[in-house]
Amino acid sequence: MNLSAAGLGDAKRSRFEERKEKILDAATKLFATHGYADTDTQLLADELGVGKGTLYRYFPSKQELFLAAADRGMRRLIEYIDTRIAAIEDPPERIAQVVRSYLTFFSEHSELCELLIHERALFKDRKKPTYIVHREANRERLRVLYQTYIDEGQIRDLPVDQLLDVFGDLLYGTMFANYFCDRQISIDEQARGILDILFHGILTETGRQRRLHE
């Protein structure tokens, strides 16, 4: 029977969550190292020093364990970014910090890249992968935030959904390119390059004027 923290006393709930986190920590490393198919839950149980039955009380199947690990990784990404932008009020600097924080998190947690890759390859029957589920769950608050920036004249008057899609796809693609190519460039340097193009574009004033007359 799957365990739940609901209804447990404070001490038991704390132990429940602590063990659950340890299971997810170990599972994330194993899935990232060996892949989903080659990760044996017995190996995970041995590493944790528990029986397989204990694992199944927390996560009834290997698939549920894998998806829980991916979900936790995405929740941690969002919490990481939110923490680092919380005290920033200036819109351009806030956007800049989102870029730096996003790239930093995936650089320091490359195992999440592996989980997202394996999930997409193995669970194509899912309507939406974990990354997209979290991206869409946060979309409305970002829509409101960026509309505020537009209303304040901080950024161009663009369709907000278009802005969010382009910005989100830029970060998503950069994250995977960094992982696959093992780029030897600092996060700060890469972020500066992205932000320079994002904020200023690539056309000169002459180039922009020509575009206006085409």
Side-chain angles (χ1 to χ4, degrees):
M1 180 178 176
N2 189 22
L3 289 176
S4 170
L8 296 177
D10 289 343
K12 288 185 177 180
R13 186 179 298 110
S14 178
R15 289 195 296 271
F16 170 87
E17 293 297 340
E18 182 179 351
R19 172 163 281 185
K20 184 177 180 181
E21 288 299 307
K22 287 182 178 179
I23 292 172
L24 287 171
D25 284 341
T28 296
K29 293 177 182 177
L30 287 177
F31 284 130
T33 301
H34 302 293
Y36 179 79
D38 292 331
T39 294
D40 188 341
T41 53
Q42 183 60 59
L43 178 61
L44 174 60
D46 292 344
E47 184 167 319
L48 291 166
V50 301
K52 287 180 71 172
T54 298
L55 297 181
Y56 290 128
R57 286 198 295 273
Y58 284 81
F59 302 98
S61 69
K62 185 168 82 168
Q63 178 173 331
E64 288 191 41
L65 174 58
F66 176 88
L67 295 176
D71 182 75
R72 187 187 67 158
M74 286 303 303
R75 284 189 283 107
R76 286 184 167 181
L77 166 65
I78 294 165
E79 291 167 1
Y80 182 87
I81 294 174
D82 284 347
T83 298
R84 279 150 185 77
I85 67 173
I88 301 175
E89 295 184 2
D90 179 61
E93 180 52 35
R94 193 179 178 95
I95 293 171
Q97 186 58 50
V98 168
V99 172
R100 290 191 291 266
S101 297
Y102 181 99
L103 296 178
T104 297
F105 183 88
F106 276 105
S107 176
E108 295 177 352
H109 300 278
S110 59
E111 68 278 2
L112 180 56
C113 296
E114 279 290 342
L115 264 60
L116 297 176
I117 293 166
H118 286 294
E119 179 191 2
R120 191 61 182 145
L122 294 168
F123 304 115
K124 293 185 177 181
D125 58 327
R126 301 191 78 209
K127 290 183 178 180
K128 295 177 183 177
T130 299
Y131 185 96
I132 300 302
V133 169
H134 282 272
R135 179 165 154 171
E136 292 184 355
N138 284 275
R139 192 175 185 88
E140 184 56 32
R141 68 169 181 147
L142 293 176
R143 185 184 287 116
V144 171
L145 181 64
Y146 279 80
Q147 186 61 57
T148 300
Y149 294 164
I150 291 171
D151 294 342
E152 293 173 349
Q154 295 280 352
I155 59 178
R156 288 172 53 204
D157 187 3
L158 298 168
V160 177
D161 284 313
Q162 178 186 357
L163 190 157
L164 292 176
D165 285 341
V166 171
F167 189 31
D169 291 348
L170 172 63
L171 292 179
Y172 187 66
T174 301
M175 174 266 290
F176 278 121
N178 284 348
Y179 184 65
F180 288 131
C181 300
D182 191 25
R183 288 175 173 166
Q184 300 301 307
I185 180 173
S186 72
I187 295 298
D188 283 342
E189 184 179 354
Q190 186 174 50
R192 282 196 299 271
I194 291 172
L195 291 165
D196 183 42
I197 293 173
L198 182 66
F199 288 160
H200 306 294
I202 63 172
L203 295 180
T204 63
E205 184 60 32
T206 299
R208 285 193 288 272
Q209 289 299 321
R210 285 179 180 174
R211 289 286 296 167
L212 290 174
H213 293 92
E214 288 181 357

